Amino acid sequence: MADRYWVGGSGTWDGTSTAKWSATSGGAPGASAPTTADVVYINNSSGTSPTITIASTAAAAVTSVQKVDATLILSGNATLSATNNSFTLDAGTLNLNDFTLTVGRFFSSGTGARTIAFGTTGLILTNNSTANAQAVNFQTTTNLVITGTPRITVTGATSSVLPQNNATEATAINYTLNAFTIFSNSYAAFVGDMNINNWFGGGSAGVTVYGNFTAVSGLAFFSVGSVDWTFSTSSTKTLSCSYYLRRITFNGTGTWNLGAALNSSNQIYLTSGTLTTNNYNVTGLGFISNNTNTRALNMGSSTFTITINTNSTPAGWDLGTPTNMTLNAGTSTIYVSLSFAASFNGGGLTYSTLSMDSNSNSLTINGSNTFAVLKRNILSTSSFTINFQAGSTTTVSDFQIKGTTSGPTNFPITLNSTVSGSTFTLSSPADVVSVDYLNLKDSVATGAAKWYAGNNSIDSGNNTGWIFSAPPSAGFFMFF
């Protein structure tokens, strides 16, 4: 492996010309053109403001660009740096000129003034051949300028990537990950599009995604570790990843359309912007959008499964501040599965179906909300408690809250007020509401309905509007 230094200012780097190459820094030209076994340096001895045109025949093993006023411009697709070696841009300008630069690894992390001009279709393609090696490093973006549409494709062996530590929606790099890729960032990172086509592993800090996020189905390994994901856009993007992500936050002025089920092992936050589920299901430990930012949730026919399997705060459904919130519930179902106590802060909005089940825990429903269906999804024979906010009115078209029985044992559902002695109101436009195995206290049943609590329900006091019996059987009349 020999060293080759660019000297003499502007010129063309191809596979044969010796006019601009020296064996020493600032030395005399005439050395042989670099091969795939040589190390290339473009440094402060390379001439004044040199423009170096990279031909398709150019070659190198390792390339190091260190001169701040140097410009490298591709005249065609080029392959530089062997698959286990690197192209490093510490200073200067790399102009892809709408061509593809293929390298083993690409590094541009530091504080030197440097620019990468991608153009419209320019691409950096890494083809690392060393397992677990670092393929891309943009960790420190100080004095880095990116223009055009930035795109990097990672191929080859298992690779680690250090994305940008600072980027805007316009300058964040779009990644296509065709190799088993590990985001090894221990800092807040930023990317544009993420297209994951191979096994993927996350780092230990958060990632902000400004673009589309797609992970192909059927991957044998997909792990995000302790990474929290923030999706931010001012336009319309698609999120197609059915694998479990950690905490998910939507925060922007644009729209995210789901192209697959959305799964979180933590909470899902809609801070601002519009989330449209496109009828795909959503799963998490909670769904939170409790602020006054402009935001919208289009639920379609999706099922939102909120699994409360940890005693954490917030836990449950929280749209408690409805200001600037547009909720289109469609025919969706919110299913709350309780292993710990949780809350449903509805914000006084209108929902389709709220379904719940619990193992001897409680759900507190806050707000004067409207439901098409309110029901207990009976998956086990157990008692649990629903606390309605004192002074609230819950309007339900189809009220299906019923307890259960197993042999000689009853498992009633307790309906309470959040303040003992202060009532809550249940209202229904239905002709008849018929339930059973309830323990009722501080409840007002009203509306057009006759509310039959059933023969096995308990009147624990301060209830009005309930009939503590089963509804009468339909009569059979004959006329002569």
PDB file of all heavy atoms in Angstrom, residues 15 39 65-66 69 179 199 201 208 236 242 274 314 325 331 334-335 341 346 351 364 378 391 415 475 480:
ATOM      1  N   GLY A  15      -7.742   6.836 -13.837  1.00  0.00           N
ATOM      2  CA  GLY A  15      -6.954   5.647 -13.517  1.00  0.00           C
ATOM      3  C   GLY A  15      -5.566   5.623 -14.092  1.00  0.00           C
ATOM      4  O   GLY A  15      -4.806   4.687 -13.820  1.00  0.00           O
ATOM      5  N   VAL A  39      -3.366   4.787  -0.568  1.00  0.00           N
ATOM      6  CA  VAL A  39      -4.028   5.769   0.283  1.00  0.00           C
ATOM      7  C   VAL A  39      -3.885   7.138  -0.361  1.00  0.00           C
ATOM      8  O   VAL A  39      -2.775   7.572  -0.663  1.00  0.00           O
ATOM      9  CB  VAL A  39      -3.432   5.779   1.699  1.00  0.00           C
ATOM     10  CG1 VAL A  39      -4.120   6.833   2.564  1.00  0.00           C
ATOM     11  CG2 VAL A  39      -3.533   4.410   2.339  1.00  0.00           C
ATOM     12  N   VAL A  65      -9.855  13.565   2.612  1.00  0.00           N
ATOM     13  CA  VAL A  65      -9.973  14.924   2.092  1.00  0.00           C
ATOM     14  C   VAL A  65      -9.891  15.886   3.268  1.00  0.00           C
ATOM     15  O   VAL A  65     -10.768  15.886   4.129  1.00  0.00           O
ATOM     16  CB  VAL A  65     -11.295  15.118   1.321  1.00  0.00           C
ATOM     17  CG1 VAL A  65     -11.356  16.512   0.710  1.00  0.00           C
ATOM     18  CG2 VAL A  65     -11.454  14.048   0.251  1.00  0.00           C
ATOM     19  N   GLN A  66      -8.828  16.719   3.274  1.00  0.00           N
ATOM     20  CA  GLN A  66      -8.548  17.549   4.438  1.00  0.00           C
ATOM     21  C   GLN A  66      -8.472  19.032   4.115  1.00  0.00           C
ATOM     22  O   GLN A  66      -8.279  19.849   5.020  1.00  0.00           O
ATOM     23  CB  GLN A  66      -7.208  17.119   5.059  1.00  0.00           C
ATOM     24  CG  GLN A  66      -7.118  15.646   5.379  1.00  0.00           C
ATOM     25  CD  GLN A  66      -5.702  15.172   5.612  1.00  0.00           C
ATOM     26  OE1 GLN A  66      -4.749  15.951   5.506  1.00  0.00           O
ATOM     27  NE2 GLN A  66      -5.544  13.894   5.947  1.00  0.00           N
ATOM     28  N   ASP A  69     -10.647  24.349   0.965  1.00  0.00           N
ATOM     29  CA  ASP A  69     -11.063  24.980  -0.281  1.00  0.00           C
ATOM     30  C   ASP A  69     -10.975  24.038  -1.478  1.00  0.00           C
ATOM     31  O   ASP A  69     -11.054  24.478  -2.631  1.00  0.00           O
ATOM     32  CB  ASP A  69     -10.249  26.251  -0.547  1.00  0.00           C
ATOM     33  CG  ASP A  69      -8.759  25.991  -0.704  1.00  0.00           C
ATOM     34  OD1 ASP A  69      -8.324  24.850  -0.449  1.00  0.00           O
ATOM     35  OD2 ASP A  69      -8.030  26.929  -1.089  1.00  0.00           O
ATOM     36  N   ALA A 179     -28.041  -3.736   4.590  1.00  0.00           N
ATOM     37  CA  ALA A 179     -27.210  -4.616   5.420  1.00  0.00           C
ATOM     38  C   ALA A 179     -27.815  -4.677   6.825  1.00  0.00           C
ATOM     39  O   ALA A 179     -28.624  -3.831   7.211  1.00  0.00           O
ATOM     40  CB  ALA A 179     -25.778  -4.096   5.488  1.00  0.00           C
ATOM     41  N   TRP A 199     -31.944  -6.942   8.926  1.00  0.00           N
ATOM     42  CA  TRP A 199     -31.993  -6.908  10.383  1.00  0.00           C
ATOM     43  C   TRP A 199     -31.550  -5.533  10.886  1.00  0.00           C
ATOM     44  O   TRP A 199     -30.685  -4.887  10.312  1.00  0.00           O
ATOM     45  CB  TRP A 199     -31.101  -7.981  10.968  1.00  0.00           C
ATOM     46  CG  TRP A 199     -31.551  -9.377  10.682  1.00  0.00           C
ATOM     47  CD1 TRP A 199     -32.600  -9.767   9.906  1.00  0.00           C
ATOM     48  CD2 TRP A 199     -30.944 -10.569  11.167  1.00  0.00           C
ATOM     49  NE1 TRP A 199     -32.701 -11.132   9.892  1.00  0.00           N
ATOM     50  CE2 TRP A 199     -31.686 -11.656  10.650  1.00  0.00           C
ATOM     51  CE3 TRP A 199     -29.853 -10.829  11.983  1.00  0.00           C
ATOM     52  CZ2 TRP A 199     -31.363 -12.976  10.929  1.00  0.00           C
ATOM     53  CZ3 TRP A 199     -29.531 -12.149  12.275  1.00  0.00           C
ATOM     54  CH2 TRP A 199     -30.283 -13.220  11.747  1.00  0.00           C
ATOM     55  N   GLY A 201     -30.812  -3.027  14.542  1.00  0.00           N
ATOM     56  CA  GLY A 201     -30.660  -2.855  15.982  1.00  0.00           C
ATOM     57  C   GLY A 201     -30.514  -1.389  16.313  1.00  0.00           C
ATOM     58  O   GLY A 201     -29.813  -0.641  15.613  1.00  0.00           O
ATOM     59  N   THR A 208     -34.759  11.104  15.808  1.00  0.00           N
ATOM     60  CA  THR A 208     -35.826  11.872  15.176  1.00  0.00           C
ATOM     61  C   THR A 208     -35.854  11.541  13.696  1.00  0.00           C
ATOM     62  O   THR A 208     -34.825  11.629  13.018  1.00  0.00           O
ATOM     63  CB  THR A 208     -35.621  13.380  15.374  1.00  0.00           C
ATOM     64  OG1 THR A 208     -35.743  13.695  16.757  1.00  0.00           O
ATOM     65  CG2 THR A 208     -36.650  14.175  14.589  1.00  0.00           C
ATOM     66  N   THR A 236     -46.405  15.321   4.309  1.00  0.00           N
ATOM     67  CA  THR A 236     -47.132  14.065   4.535  1.00  0.00           C
ATOM     68  C   THR A 236     -46.167  12.902   4.396  1.00  0.00           C
ATOM     69  O   THR A 236     -45.480  12.776   3.382  1.00  0.00           O
ATOM     70  CB  THR A 236     -48.280  13.903   3.526  1.00  0.00           C
ATOM     71  OG1 THR A 236     -49.200  14.985   3.693  1.00  0.00           O
ATOM     72  CG2 THR A 236     -49.024  12.593   3.743  1.00  0.00           C
ATOM     73  N   SER A 242     -44.375  -2.604  11.455  1.00  0.00           N
ATOM     74  CA  SER A 242     -45.222  -3.324  12.400  1.00  0.00           C
ATOM     75  C   SER A 242     -44.420  -3.887  13.574  1.00  0.00           C
ATOM     76  O   SER A 242     -45.001  -4.463  14.498  1.00  0.00           O
ATOM     77  CB  SER A 242     -45.951  -4.468  11.688  1.00  0.00           C
ATOM     78  OG  SER A 242     -45.029  -5.370  11.105  1.00  0.00           O
ATOM     79  N   THR A 274     -51.033  15.566  12.463  1.00  0.00           N
ATOM     80  CA  THR A 274     -52.163  14.667  12.203  1.00  0.00           C
ATOM     81  C   THR A 274     -51.675  13.233  12.059  1.00  0.00           C
ATOM     82  O   THR A 274     -50.730  12.967  11.312  1.00  0.00           O
ATOM     83  CB  THR A 274     -52.890  15.081  10.908  1.00  0.00           C
ATOM     84  OG1 THR A 274     -53.404  16.399  11.070  1.00  0.00           O
ATOM     85  CG2 THR A 274     -54.027  14.124  10.581  1.00  0.00           C
ATOM     86  N   PRO A 314     -47.689   8.705  32.607  1.00  0.00           N
ATOM     87  CA  PRO A 314     -49.109   8.429  32.438  1.00  0.00           C
ATOM     88  C   PRO A 314     -49.354   7.012  31.939  1.00  0.00           C
ATOM     89  O   PRO A 314     -48.472   6.417  31.329  1.00  0.00           O
ATOM     90  CB  PRO A 314     -49.519   9.453  31.376  1.00  0.00           C
ATOM     91  CG  PRO A 314     -48.299   9.627  30.549  1.00  0.00           C
ATOM     92  CD  PRO A 314     -47.143   9.502  31.499  1.00  0.00           C
ATOM     93  N   MET A 325     -57.901  20.030  19.303  1.00  0.00           N
ATOM     94  CA  MET A 325     -57.840  18.609  18.980  1.00  0.00           C
ATOM     95  C   MET A 325     -59.034  18.240  18.101  1.00  0.00           C
ATOM     96  O   MET A 325     -60.180  18.523  18.451  1.00  0.00           O
ATOM     97  CB  MET A 325     -57.872  17.752  20.253  1.00  0.00           C
ATOM     98  CG  MET A 325     -57.905  16.254  19.990  1.00  0.00           C
ATOM     99  SD  MET A 325     -56.338  15.677  19.314  1.00  0.00           S
ATOM    100  CE  MET A 325     -56.715  13.971  18.954  1.00  0.00           C
ATOM    101  N   THR A 331     -65.233   4.047  13.178  1.00  0.00           N
ATOM    102  CA  THR A 331     -65.820   2.862  13.817  1.00  0.00           C
ATOM    103  C   THR A 331     -64.773   2.141  14.659  1.00  0.00           C
ATOM    104  O   THR A 331     -64.816   0.932  14.829  1.00  0.00           O
ATOM    105  CB  THR A 331     -66.384   1.907  12.756  1.00  0.00           C
ATOM    106  OG1 THR A 331     -65.330   1.528  11.844  1.00  0.00           O
ATOM    107  CG2 THR A 331     -67.515   2.558  11.972  1.00  0.00           C
ATOM    108  N   ILE A 334     -61.315   1.271  21.155  1.00  0.00           N
ATOM    109  CA  ILE A 334     -60.231   1.430  22.127  1.00  0.00           C
ATOM    110  C   ILE A 334     -60.404   0.328  23.157  1.00  0.00           C
ATOM    111  O   ILE A 334     -61.428   0.251  23.840  1.00  0.00           O
ATOM    112  CB  ILE A 334     -60.277   2.808  22.801  1.00  0.00           C
ATOM    113  CG1 ILE A 334     -60.178   3.919  21.761  1.00  0.00           C
ATOM    114  CG2 ILE A 334     -59.162   2.940  23.836  1.00  0.00           C
ATOM    115  CD1 ILE A 334     -60.454   5.302  22.320  1.00  0.00           C
ATOM    116  N   TYR A 335     -59.415  -0.559  23.237  1.00  0.00           N
ATOM    117  CA  TYR A 335     -59.474  -1.670  24.177  1.00  0.00           C
ATOM    118  C   TYR A 335     -58.411  -1.463  25.251  1.00  0.00           C
ATOM    119  O   TYR A 335     -57.222  -1.383  24.955  1.00  0.00           O
ATOM    120  CB  TYR A 335     -59.251  -2.999  23.459  1.00  0.00           C
ATOM    121  CG  TYR A 335     -59.064  -4.168  24.400  1.00  0.00           C
ATOM    122  CD1 TYR A 335     -60.001  -4.437  25.388  1.00  0.00           C
ATOM    123  CD2 TYR A 335     -57.945  -4.996  24.310  1.00  0.00           C
ATOM    124  CE1 TYR A 335     -59.831  -5.498  26.267  1.00  0.00           C
ATOM    125  CE2 TYR A 335     -57.762  -6.059  25.171  1.00  0.00           C
ATOM    126  CZ  TYR A 335     -58.705  -6.302  26.158  1.00  0.00           C
ATOM    127  OH  TYR A 335     -58.529  -7.349  27.020  1.00  0.00           O
ATOM    128  N   ALA A 341     -53.990  -0.121  37.783  1.00  0.00           N
ATOM    129  CA  ALA A 341     -54.977   0.942  37.644  1.00  0.00           C
ATOM    130  C   ALA A 341     -54.553   1.913  36.549  1.00  0.00           C
ATOM    131  O   ALA A 341     -53.364   2.173  36.338  1.00  0.00           O
ATOM    132  CB  ALA A 341     -55.148   1.679  38.971  1.00  0.00           C
ATOM    133  N   GLY A 346     -60.996  11.387  28.497  1.00  0.00           N
ATOM    134  CA  GLY A 346     -61.574  11.504  27.167  1.00  0.00           C
ATOM    135  C   GLY A 346     -61.692  12.912  26.638  1.00  0.00           C
ATOM    136  O   GLY A 346     -61.929  13.098  25.435  1.00  0.00           O
ATOM    137  N   TYR A 351     -66.489   9.189  20.911  1.00  0.00           N
ATOM    138  CA  TYR A 351     -65.754   7.985  20.556  1.00  0.00           C
ATOM    139  C   TYR A 351     -66.707   6.944  19.976  1.00  0.00           C
ATOM    140  O   TYR A 351     -67.924   7.034  20.146  1.00  0.00           O
ATOM    141  CB  TYR A 351     -65.045   7.412  21.783  1.00  0.00           C
ATOM    142  CG  TYR A 351     -64.005   8.336  22.369  1.00  0.00           C
ATOM    143  CD1 TYR A 351     -64.360   9.303  23.311  1.00  0.00           C
ATOM    144  CD2 TYR A 351     -62.677   8.247  21.978  1.00  0.00           C
ATOM    145  CE1 TYR A 351     -63.408  10.164  23.845  1.00  0.00           C
ATOM    146  CE2 TYR A 351     -61.719   9.096  22.514  1.00  0.00           C
ATOM    147  CZ  TYR A 351     -62.088  10.056  23.441  1.00  0.00           C
ATOM    148  OH  TYR A 351     -61.137  10.906  23.962  1.00  0.00           O
ATOM    149  N   THR A 364     -60.403   4.690  35.649  1.00  0.00           N
ATOM    150  CA  THR A 364     -61.090   5.946  35.948  1.00  0.00           C
ATOM    151  C   THR A 364     -61.367   6.667  34.643  1.00  0.00           C
ATOM    152  O   THR A 364     -60.443   6.930  33.858  1.00  0.00           O
ATOM    153  CB  THR A 364     -60.234   6.828  36.868  1.00  0.00           C
ATOM    154  OG1 THR A 364     -60.034   6.153  38.122  1.00  0.00           O
ATOM    155  CG2 THR A 364     -60.921   8.157  37.130  1.00  0.00           C
ATOM    156  N   ILE A 378     -65.105  -9.496  28.157  1.00  0.00           N
ATOM    157  CA  ILE A 378     -64.917 -10.509  29.190  1.00  0.00           C
ATOM    158  C   ILE A 378     -63.894 -11.546  28.735  1.00  0.00           C
ATOM    159  O   ILE A 378     -64.165 -12.399  27.904  1.00  0.00           O
ATOM    160  CB  ILE A 378     -66.251 -11.201  29.537  1.00  0.00           C
ATOM    161  CG1 ILE A 378     -67.265 -10.153  30.005  1.00  0.00           C
ATOM    162  CG2 ILE A 378     -66.042 -12.258  30.612  1.00  0.00           C
ATOM    163  CD1 ILE A 378     -68.643 -10.715  30.250  1.00  0.00           C
ATOM    164  N   GLY A 391     -69.665  14.504  38.783  1.00  0.00           N
ATOM    165  CA  GLY A 391     -70.253  15.609  38.049  1.00  0.00           C
ATOM    166  C   GLY A 391     -70.279  15.438  36.547  1.00  0.00           C
ATOM    167  O   GLY A 391     -70.835  16.286  35.839  1.00  0.00           O
ATOM    168  N   LEU A 415     -69.340   0.334  39.789  1.00  0.00           N
ATOM    169  CA  LEU A 415     -69.395   1.651  39.168  1.00  0.00           C
ATOM    170  C   LEU A 415     -69.481   2.684  40.275  1.00  0.00           C
ATOM    171  O   LEU A 415     -70.477   2.741  41.005  1.00  0.00           O
ATOM    172  CB  LEU A 415     -70.595   1.771  38.228  1.00  0.00           C
ATOM    173  CG  LEU A 415     -70.736   0.720  37.116  1.00  0.00           C
ATOM    174  CD1 LEU A 415     -71.891   1.090  36.182  1.00  0.00           C
ATOM    175  CD2 LEU A 415     -69.447   0.590  36.321  1.00  0.00           C
ATOM    176  N   GLY A 475     -94.356  -9.835  26.563  1.00  0.00           N
ATOM    177  CA  GLY A 475     -95.638 -10.500  26.689  1.00  0.00           C
ATOM    178  C   GLY A 475     -96.135 -11.078  25.368  1.00  0.00           C
ATOM    179  O   GLY A 475     -95.683 -10.680  24.294  1.00  0.00           O
ATOM    180  N   PHE A 480    -109.052 -11.895  19.962  1.00  0.00           N
ATOM    181  CA  PHE A 480    -110.145 -12.678  19.376  1.00  0.00           C
ATOM    182  C   PHE A 480    -111.201 -11.729  18.819  1.00  0.00           C
ATOM    183  O   PHE A 480    -111.483 -10.690  19.390  1.00  0.00           O
ATOM    184  CB  PHE A 480    -110.760 -13.629  20.424  1.00  0.00           C
ATOM    185  CG  PHE A 480    -109.784 -14.618  20.970  1.00  0.00           C
ATOM    186  CD1 PHE A 480    -109.063 -14.336  22.121  1.00  0.00           C
ATOM    187  CD2 PHE A 480    -109.551 -15.815  20.327  1.00  0.00           C
ATOM    188  CE1 PHE A 480    -108.179 -15.262  22.615  1.00  0.00           C
ATOM    189  CE2 PHE A 480    -108.675 -16.738  20.838  1.00  0.00           C
ATOM    190  CZ  PHE A 480    -107.989 -16.455  21.983  1.00  0.00           C
TER     191      PHE A 480
END
